[in-house]
Amino acid sequence: MEKYKVGIIGGTGMVGQRFVTLMENHPWFQLTAIAASPRSAGKRYEDAVAGRWAMTCEIPAEAKDLVVMDATADVEKMASLVDFVFCAVDMKKDEIRALEERYAKAECPVVSNNSANRWTDDVPMVVPEMNPEHLAVIPAQRKRLGTKRGFIAVKSNCSIQSYAPALHPLMKYGIEQVLVCTYQAISGAGKTFERWPEMVDNVIPYIGGEEEKSEQEPLKVWGKVEDGKIVKAQSPAITAQCLRVPVSDGHTAAVFVSFKNKPSMEEIKECWASFKGRAQELDLPSAPKQFLHYFEENDRPQAKLDRNLEGGMAVSLGRLRPDTQYDYKFVGLSHNTLRGAAGGAVLLAELLCAEGYIDRK
């Protein structure tokens, strides 16, 4: 098949670098253009990331010689070269909203890793296995923007990927209350231990804005499209506490949950084992074959052992057991820069292409 031409906005940052690596040998997508800040514009990509390449693999050959464009000054040029863009810029939220709309209005679909448009009510925030039906809001967004091809779609916050997917197939039992404590890797802050030595032998009990996102974003994912807008769900009630921990990659969640109609532990495990979403039905290239993996061992999942399961796109679960205050508790784990960030956005782009929302020019 002829590949979709892909651009990456914010391609020099950690998530942008991850996008670059995920485009290498992708069966549907061809990396065609990279844009970043003015200080990187005009440089070869290899030179622009010299000294700050944070991935464990080499820079893909197809990216090394691409000349970096200016993400804000070269919108029209970038849009003319590609079929859609991934966005992972590091800017103020109002600036990101404006920039993503500029690309959309230039008839360039935007698949965003940023949080700026997550609460725009006609922008779908999609986990492909959980709420693919929210893509139906895109025609209403195009009408607002005055576009034919252009639109914005976003992926959710990385932290909710470690627990919301596990709760999703259990919603039929009437989830009433959720308490979650997340233990989040330093790559979620765009850092490595070399660049953040203060995190070695340390835990920081605060991540700005993270608890609000963890409590509210699942409610949008579980919401409904009504009259061209996404109306968030009113339940379950979620309370969260988020800590930064000395782990390179992988967000862990300790989850406590109460139900209106309490299932058995065996029923919960069966729900997890049998769950398949739209991404698995369509056999999308980045989709894990088994989305939710349950480990019976008492000491699993572990970030070091399990974060790369199924290419880092699966969610690992373990330690399901009764709780004294809630019905059950369990532990979840997801790779925050793969499933939780760039990989989740690539999977979303695959879904958008498969469902006909992104076409080739």
Side-chain angles (χ1 to χ4, degrees), residues 287-332:
K289 301 300 181 186
Q290 180 72 36
F291 182 33
L292 305 175
H293 286 253
Y294 184 79
F295 290 89
E296 292 289 351
E297 297 93 331
N298 285 330
D299 61 351
R300 303 282 287 279
Q302 293 180 27
K304 204 167 187 177
L305 296 177
D306 303 313
R307 60 193 169 203
N308 290 313
L309 193 62
E310 297 219 33
M313 293 298 289
V315 176
S316 299
L317 305 169
R319 301 210 68 209
L320 176 67
R321 58 212 191 279
D323 184 62
T324 57
Q325 298 181 37
Y326 291 75
D327 287 332
Y328 294 106
K329 52 192 170 188
F330 64 90
V331 172

Side-chain angles (χ1 to χ4, degrees), residues 88-239:
V89 294
D90 183 11
M91 300 164 65
K92 295 177 181 176
K93 283 192 179 184
D94 57 343
E95 295 173 346
I96 295 172
R97 275 192 291 269
L99 183 65
E100 291 182 346
E101 284 207 1
R102 281 183 63 198
Y103 277 91
K105 288 179 178 179
E107 298 295 359
C108 182
V110 177
V111 182
S112 180
N113 184 72
N114 298 105
S115 64
N117 269 303
R118 287 184 193 152
W119 285 101
T120 306
D121 58 15
D122 61 5
V123 170
M125 180 173 69
V126 174
V127 179
E129 290 89 349
M130 294 175 64
N131 62 328
E133 68 278 5
H134 284 194
L135 298 184
V137 80
I138 288 174
Q141 185 195 145
R142 283 174 167 159
K143 185 175 181 181
R144 172 176 66 85
L145 296 174
T147 61
K148 293 181 179 179
R149 286 187 82 252
F151 64 89
I152 303 162
V154 301
K155 54 151 290 295
S156 65
N157 192 45
C158 54
S159 66
I160 80 167
Q161 308 279 341
S162 57
Y163 59 91
L167 297 174
H168 185 69
L170 308 179
M171 294 291 280
K172 62 185 179 182
Y173 296 111
I175 296 176
E176 293 185 318
Q177 288 186 306
V178 177
L179 183 154
V180 60
C181 295
T182 62
Y183 305 88
Q184 301 187 202
I186 64 171
S187 56
K191 304 283 190 179
T192 62
F193 286 117
E194 291 75 20
R195 288 155 53 188
W196 201 5
E198 296 84 2
M199 272 309 303
V200 177
D201 192 30
N202 196 16
V203 171
I204 298 176
Y206 174 73
I207 306 172
E210 202 74 5
E211 285 154 4
E212 295 83 354
K213 293 174 188 175
S214 296
E215 293 171 352
Q216 293 299 316
E217 286 191 16
L219 299 179
K220 182 173 181 179
V221 172
W222 286 321
K224 293 182 178 180
V225 176
E226 295 180 3
D227 300 322
K229 296 180 180 180
I230 299 168
V231 179
K232 75 173 188 176
Q234 296 303 304
S235 63
I238 304 172
T239 184

Side-chain angles (χ1 to χ4, degrees), residues 251-264:
H251 288 354
T252 298
V255 189
F256 304 77
V257 57
S258 291
F259 297 91
K260 183 177 181 181
N261 302 301
K262 181 180 176 180
S264 67

Side-chain angles (χ1 to χ4, degrees), residues 40-100:
S40 297
K43 297 179 181 178
R44 293 171 61 252
Y45 183 72
E46 185 176 27
D47 297 330
V49 297
R52 55 194 183 109
W53 180 252
M55 303 293 105
T56 55
C57 59
E58 295 292 318
I59 301 171
E62 63 184 3
K64 287 183 178 181
D65 292 325
L66 288 177
V67 177
V68 178
M69 288 188 273
D70 187 317
T72 54
D74 295 329
V75 172
E76 283 70 26
K77 181 181 179 183
M78 186 86 168
S80 71
L81 293 173
V82 300
D83 295 315
F84 71 94
V85 294
F86 292 112
C87 187
V89 294
D90 183 11
M91 300 164 65
K92 295 177 181 176
K93 283 192 179 184
D94 57 343
E95 295 173 346
I96 295 172
R97 275 192 291 269
L99 183 65
E100 291 182 346

